């Protein structure tokens, strides 16, 4: 019998906290009294995570499935690998570090009962370092302006999706993407609920400042052409302004023999424009890079192991996987 609820959890070097996760997750799901499955996706961990997941599979093979990547492909790719295999009609994503309390899953499901097909978690009080909070508030605001995606808390991974949305995300074949945003574009009745947030139970964050910046570039360039469009508008504006200025200087010279062109300090102006141009080239590079990754069409991930009791029937294997 297929489960009703599928819980997808990406795991990357989390051996210090997995025991605590198992101890809370299974009772929390048992308490919901709906048939469920948990799909752990080991994202190429270098610690003992994969071994711990295997033990857990052996302990609860009835509700546990484990996907093990060959190498690290990133949290969102790990979630996609889970999405490609879900059997439930409702899918919940969760972090492995217990920052998202598994006891809150019931609240997400209640919102789905009320007719929503996408339920985003909003962290009631966010337990992260201050610069993460400031940076994500700024990114939230930028994203709201240049995409159609409305999310109060884009960084919260405790979310529930209908199976239709999950299938659409899995079929999207995007290389670097941001699941909550991509899923949002397929939702017809999205909503949000407040959920608790805790400090990491064990281990450390896998996101450095650099990785966060990368992630936010994916979030912006993956969902909007506005940055490129702004750039061409700005280019037009600069071109128009400089030709007007040039005309004004020519006219002034004609009548007075000298002009105020020197007022425009050329060096400063050039510095500024070179900066703008470099940023623009880099921005174009972001898009070209995405196109390049996409046309190479390599598998998004490769598998080292797949632990599940009833393997999928032949011919239904997930698309991104290579034997
Ligand atoms: N994660 C992953 N692959 C990665 C980085 C992270 O699967 O390359 C997982 C990680 O194990 C955790 C979740 O994604 O379950 C969120 O990561 P983390 O807690 O480090 O992020 P933060 O909470 O600091 O944003
Ligand atoms: Mg975390």
């Amino acid at each position: 019998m297929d489960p009703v609820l599928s819980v997808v959890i990406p795991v990357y070097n989390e051996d210090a906290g997995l025991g605590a996760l198992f101890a809370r997750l299974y009772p929390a799901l048992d308490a919901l009294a709906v048939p469920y499955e948990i799909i752990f996706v080991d994202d190429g961990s270098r610690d003992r995570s994969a071994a711990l997941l295997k033990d857990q599979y052996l302990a609860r093979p009835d509700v546990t499935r484990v996907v093990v990547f060959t190498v690290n492909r990133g949290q969102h790719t790990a979630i996609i690998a889970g999405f490609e295999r879900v059997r439930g009609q409702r899918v919940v994503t969760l972090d492995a570090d217990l920052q998202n309390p598994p006891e809150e899953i019931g609240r997400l499901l209640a919102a789905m009962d009320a007719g929503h097909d996408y339920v985003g978690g909003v962290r009631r009080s966010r337990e992260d370092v201050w610069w993460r909070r400031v940076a994500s508030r700024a990114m939230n605001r930028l994203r709201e302006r240049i995409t159609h995606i409305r999310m109060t808390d884009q960084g919260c991974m405790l979310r529930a999706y209908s199976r239709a949305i999950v299938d659409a995300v899995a079929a999207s074949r995007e290389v670097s993407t941001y699941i909550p945003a991509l899923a949002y574009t397929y939702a017809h009745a999205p909503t949000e609920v407040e959920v608790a947030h805790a400090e990491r139970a064990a281990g450390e964050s896998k996101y450095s400042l650099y990785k966060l910046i990368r992630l936010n570039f994916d979030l912006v360039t993956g969902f909007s052409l506005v940055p490129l469009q702004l750039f061409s508008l700005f280019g037009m504006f600069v071109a128009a302004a400089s030709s007007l200025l040039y005309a004004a200087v020519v006219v002034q010279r004609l009548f007075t023999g000298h002009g105020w062109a020197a007022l425009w300090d050329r060096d400063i102006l050039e510095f500024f424009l070179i900066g703008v141009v470099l940023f623009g080239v880099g921005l174009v590079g972001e898009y070209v890079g995405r196109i390049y990754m996409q046309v190479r069409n390599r598998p998004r991930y490769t598998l080292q192991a797949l632990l599940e009791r009833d393997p999928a029937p032949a011919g239904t294997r997930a698309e991104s996987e290579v034997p």
Side-chain angles (χ1 to χ4, degrees), residues 9-14 41 43 72-75 78 94-97 99 128 132 200 204-207 211:
I9 306 185
V11 177
Y12 181 50
N13 293 346
E14 301 281 6
V41 184
D43 185 13
N72 180 246
R73 305 299 306 198
Q75 176 185 358
L94 193 75
D95 281 352
D97 57 5
Q99 286 198 277
D128 274 316
R132 296 271 313 248
R200 223 175 202 289
E204 52 191 32
S205 174
K206 310 298 178 289
Y207 284 96
K211 267 178 115 181

Side-chain angles (χ1 to χ4, degrees), residues 152-163:
T152 311
D153 188 1
Q154 64 182 32
C156 182
M157 277 307 178
L158 181 54
R159 285 165 190 273
Y161 310 99
S162 71
R163 176 66 176 272

